[in-house]
Amino acid sequence: MKHFDVIVIGGGHAGSEAAHAAARMGARTALVTMSKSGIGVMSCNPAIGGLGKGHLVREIDAMDGVMGRVADKAGIQFRLLNRRKGPAVQGPRAQADRKIYQTEMLKEIEQQPNLEIVEGEVVDFVVEDRHVTGVVLTNGEGLAGNAIVLTTGTFLRGVIHIGDISRSGGRMGDKASVKLAERIDSFNLPLGRLKTGTPPRLDGRTIDWDLLESQPGDDEPTLFSFLSKGTSTPQVTCGITHTNAETHQIIRENLSRSAMYGGKIEGIGPRYCPSIEDKVVRFADKESHQVFLEPEGLDDHTVYPNGISTSLPADVQLAYVRSMIGLSNVEIIQPGYAIEYDYIDPRALDLTLKVKSLGGLFLAGQINGTTGYEEAAAQGLVAGLNAALLALGREPVIFTRSQSYIGVMIDDLTTRGVSEPYRMFTSRAEFRLSLRADNADQRLTPLAMSLGCISSERAESYLNKADRLIDAMARLKGTRYSPRLIEKAGIKVSQDGAKRTAYELLSFPDVKFEQVLTLDASLENVDADVRRQVERDALYANYIERQQRDIDLLRKDEAHQIPVEFDYASVEGLSNELTSKLQRSLPANLAQAARIDGMTPSALTLLLSHLKRGTKKRIA
């Protein structure tokens, strides 16, 4: 039996990131996938990033992950969303060429040392004393591993629905994973059922583009990777059309033929990415919905109509699509469909994404109840790093809420679980002013360096930028200027006699770096990237300083670890309801316990008291 340090099951976005991360750590890693050609497939929308999601991609990149730089190579349209709002809530997004993305991701996997691709389907686990020690393939071949990362996406007992037609499948054209799902049943993990959907794919040659509103990309693309220097593919323009009264009427008349409204689907879908049937029913007073027509590649005629995912029959899909402006003669290449699949309640995992009740098994991606490539890849990074650390006998790495969006997501999942597919938003992060997309490298690359999971090129680039930032900050803060000199420089300021540094002036909403150059000629040498960075840092500096107290309190609570074997029933004064919730979720620390529904300050005080008593007993 061939032995690896880490075995990753599944070659999607979670699996690719997990395998690459484990291999970067120096762990001998196997990526097991049904087909090498399935690695890096963008099975839904060929786009990366967005609000909240773009922050995750930047953080993955800061840890030297692959999604960001692959997206930059494949990007055919880049847009910074929320541009009119503050930097903290702006999100980079790229429309990608599906083929280039897949090709570049496979190249990253194949070129990574310590990483071997194994083609095959995993149908069983090898378990010894509640510890997963290997996997078995359909051909009977066994692989042994110190740690296993399971990233099955929508494949666990996946069922595809198009109208009244339902069939087993992990995604269109791929079979579901049934035997593995049955094996997971034996672990007695809490299971649930979720669903997601995709729209029909259109033939771009049959679209009347001249009738559509056009949506160009940004003139100056905002890239994902801190190492990328520019775009490498031609840029395209997307089109915009709208549903209308006729569209909605066609859908309403056929709701009974929808798999979702016809009672065929039990799983809960994503509230923030509803099907077109859902939109028509839930927003009955709305006369139209925007539909973005996004090309899937430079040499591909397929167009992705973002905003009309569906489980209606194919004939109804064609009818409602053709009711829209610019699409009256359109042909459908592939009908849209809903897919229903098993997921495991993420409260069964700890903060490393390891299953609490089993040794050596980590879960990442949609199997944990999330939706989206970015959420999956970020989980893959966490699981891959921790699987490697476990296999190599090192301490785990924990991403915290105050440190990263990755930490926010992992904490949300493992503390609260999910009632619908989890999607990242900036509003989920209470410390979002300091967790910006632009400073992800400052927050996380030092951690990556300490773990030893980044290339020398990444480390050198980061250290060089850090030196330039330190130098610029020193000059910006080195001299204080009188209100008279500041006014003379063309910056409006109160004539109150108070002297201010150039850095303090950059905290004014309308002041840009170029305006403070007349105060200090040496600032001319500061490059454009550093100029924009210090502008953003200065803008939020006062707010972040106030927020730091809350961060310190959170870190203090996170330091109060709760042993997995802690007996909540022994804590006198806790209600039966809270005791039951705590026993079910098994929070890793006091901060997680505080976020459980129904938790009160008095109950937290009781927990802290018992934890301290337990610590004293162990010390004694």
Side-chain angles (χ1 to χ4, degrees), residues 58-59 61-63 226 403 434-449 458 462-463 465-470 473 503 529-530 532-538:
R58 276 290 182 88
E59 291 180 353
D61 183 73
M63 297 293 295
F226 291 95
Q403 170 199 46
S434 55
L435 304 183
R436 305 190 307 277
D438 64 89
N439 68 2
D441 57 338
Q442 293 169 262
R443 292 184 280 112
L444 292 177
T445 301
L447 171 63
M449 292 171 69
R458 172 85 56 175
Y462 168 76
L463 291 172
K465 179 183 175 182
D467 286 343
R468 287 182 283 125
L469 277 170
I470 290 170
M473 285 290 198
Y503 188 71
D529 282 349
V530 171
R532 300 291 82 84
Q533 184 71 69
V534 295
E535 278 180 358
R536 298 182 190 112
D537 289 342

Side-chain angles (χ1 to χ4, degrees), residues 89-399:
V89 293
Q90 292 174 353
R93 182 187 188 274
Q95 188 70 22
D97 182 299
R98 191 186 294 277
K99 291 177 187 174
I100 295 176
Y101 190 95
Q102 188 176 354
T103 300
E104 291 296 330
M105 182 60 75
L106 179 58
K107 189 184 297 183
E108 288 278 355
I109 297 298
E110 289 181 323
Q111 292 178 348
Q112 175 59 41
N114 305 317
L115 180 51
E116 180 179 335
I117 299 171
V118 177
E119 289 190 298
E121 181 186 357
V122 174
V123 293
D124 200 2
F125 293 103
V126 179
V127 182
E128 300 174 9
D129 297 325
R130 297 293 293 176
H131 192 101
V132 182
T133 59
V135 301
V136 179
L137 308 183
T138 47
N139 62 4
E141 181 186 355
L143 303 176
N146 297 337
I148 315 295
V149 182
L150 183 59
T151 70
T152 52
T154 59
F155 280 69
L156 283 184
R157 275 189 281 256
V159 177
I160 291 172
H161 301 276
I162 304 175
D164 58 359
I165 300 172
S166 299
R167 62 175 180 269
S168 176
R171 64 181 167 222
M172 189 65 81
D174 291 314
K175 65 179 183 177
S177 182
V178 177
K179 288 184 179 179
L180 189 62
E182 291 170 349
R183 180 65 170 103
I184 291 171
D185 288 342
S186 69
F187 295 153
N188 293 318
L189 295 172
L191 290 170
R193 201 86 171 136
L194 291 174
K195 80 102 180 170
T196 188
T198 189
R201 303 306 201 274
L202 310 180
D203 187 336
R205 294 167 296 186
T206 61
I207 294 173
D208 194 339
W209 294 97
D210 291 338
L211 297 179
L212 302 175
E213 178 186 343
S214 65
Q215 184 192 53
D218 293 341
D219 292 333
E220 295 183 18
T222 300
L223 304 179
F224 288 108
S225 178
F226 291 95
L227 296 183
S228 295
K229 303 302 181 187
T231 59
S232 56
T233 58
Q235 300 298 286
V236 303
T237 295
C238 295
I240 300 175
T241 187
H242 298 81
T243 63
N244 51 53
E246 183 185 353
T247 315
H248 296 187
Q249 186 60 29
I250 293 169
I251 292 167
R252 275 193 292 266
E253 289 174 353
N254 290 279
L255 279 176
S256 62
R257 300 181 64 196
S258 161
M260 186 172 67
Y261 282 89
K264 288 184 172 292
I265 297 177
E266 300 173 7
I268 300 169
R271 179 165 37 119
Y272 301 104
C273 188
S275 67
I276 188 61
E277 299 99 290
D278 242 357
K279 289 180 182 179
V280 169
V281 171
R282 283 166 50 191
F283 309 106
D285 57 331
K286 197 162 184 182
E287 295 180 356
S288 71
H289 297 279
Q290 204 167 39
V291 181
F292 297 93
L293 301 174
E294 301 169 337
E296 295 201 355
L298 297 173
D299 62 352
D300 188 343
H301 299 298
T302 309
V303 171
Y304 185 97
N306 196 342
I308 54 170
S309 66
T310 185
S311 63
L312 283 161
D315 62 311
V316 179
Q317 293 183 38
L318 183 60
Y320 81 65
V321 168
R322 285 184 170 178
S323 70
M324 297 180 228
I325 292 175
L327 306 182
S328 58
N329 297 307
V330 78
E331 294 293 340
I332 290 179
I333 294 174
Q334 175 186 295
Y337 61 91
I339 183 165
E340 199 175 12
Y341 55 94
D342 283 356
Y343 80 99
I344 291 170
D345 187 333
R347 288 175 292 187
L349 312 176
D350 64 20
L351 289 170
T352 69
L353 294 183
K354 188 182 79 65
V355 176
K356 293 174 184 175
S357 60
L358 281 169
L361 181 61
F362 296 79
L363 308 181
Q366 284 177 281
I367 191 173
N368 292 337
T370 60
T371 182
Y373 308 144
E374 303 83 3
E375 291 87 348
Q379 291 172 74
L381 173 77
V382 174
L385 289 174
N386 279 298
L389 289 166
L390 176 67
L392 299 173
R394 295 173 56 186
E395 288 298 308
V397 58
I398 304 295
F399 291 79

Side-chain angles (χ1 to χ4, degrees), residues 334-576:
Q334 175 186 295
Y337 61 91
I339 183 165
E340 199 175 12
Y341 55 94
D342 283 356
Y343 80 99
I344 291 170
D345 187 333
R347 288 175 292 187
L349 312 176
D350 64 20
L351 289 170
T352 69
L353 294 183
K354 188 182 79 65
V355 176
K356 293 174 184 175
S357 60
L358 281 169
L361 181 61
F362 296 79
L363 308 181
Q366 284 177 281
I367 191 173
N368 292 337
T370 60
T371 182
Y373 308 144
E374 303 83 3
E375 291 87 348
Q379 291 172 74
L381 173 77
V382 174
L385 289 174
N386 279 298
L389 289 166
L390 176 67
L392 299 173
R394 295 173 56 186
E395 288 298 308
V397 58
I398 304 295
F399 291 79
T400 66
R401 295 187 75 89
S402 60
Q403 170 199 46
S404 62
Y405 272 83
I406 295 174
V408 170
M409 176 178 63
I410 302 299
D411 185 69
D412 281 350
L413 293 172
T414 58
T415 303
R416 299 181 178 127
V418 298
S419 57
E420 62 182 337
Y422 179 98
R423 180 178 178 176
M424 178 50 71
F425 292 103
T426 54
S427 58
R428 294 190 188 274
E430 58 268 53
F431 305 123
R432 56 186 170 275
L433 297 184
S434 55
L435 304 183
R436 305 190 307 277
D438 64 89
N439 68 2
D441 57 338
Q442 293 169 262
R443 292 184 280 112
L444 292 177
T445 301
L447 171 63
M449 292 171 69
S450 70
L451 290 172
C453 69
I454 67 172
S455 65
S456 57
E457 179 192 4
R458 172 85 56 175
E460 184 179 342
S461 174
Y462 168 76
L463 291 172
N464 180 273
K465 179 183 175 182
D467 286 343
R468 287 182 283 125
L469 277 170
I470 290 170
D471 179 65
M473 285 290 198
R475 281 188 268 171
L476 287 165
K477 294 179 178 180
T479 307
R480 307 188 76 84
Y481 303 96
S482 68
R484 185 178 60 79
L485 278 175
I486 295 170
E487 283 276 9
K488 194 174 179 182
I491 301 172
K492 291 183 179 180
V493 67
S494 173
Q495 296 297 313
D496 54 7
K499 290 187 175 182
R500 295 172 176 84
T501 65
Y503 188 71
E504 287 172 322
L505 294 174
L506 287 175
S507 69
F508 292 14
D510 299 322
V511 175
K512 299 297 180 185
F513 193 95
E514 286 70 24
Q515 292 174 266
V516 302
L517 292 179
T518 55
L519 295 172
D520 182 352
S522 72
L523 292 171
E524 289 278 5
N525 299 325
V526 177
D527 62 88
D529 282 349
V530 171
R531 289 185 183 191
R532 300 291 82 84
Q533 184 71 69
V534 295
E535 278 180 358
R536 298 182 190 112
D537 289 342
L539 182 63
Y540 290 116
N542 293 332
Y543 300 100
I544 291 171
E545 193 175 323
R546 290 178 223 155
Q547 199 177 72
Q548 190 60 45
R549 284 177 296 178
D550 294 330
I551 292 174
D552 291 341
L553 285 172
L554 176 63
R555 286 177 177 164
K556 185 178 178 182
D557 284 344
E558 286 171 341
H560 288 294
Q561 301 292 311
I562 303 177
V564 175
E565 67 277 6
F566 186 81
D567 183 11
Y568 293 99
S570 67
V571 182
E572 293 183 14
L574 277 184
S575 68
N576 291 335

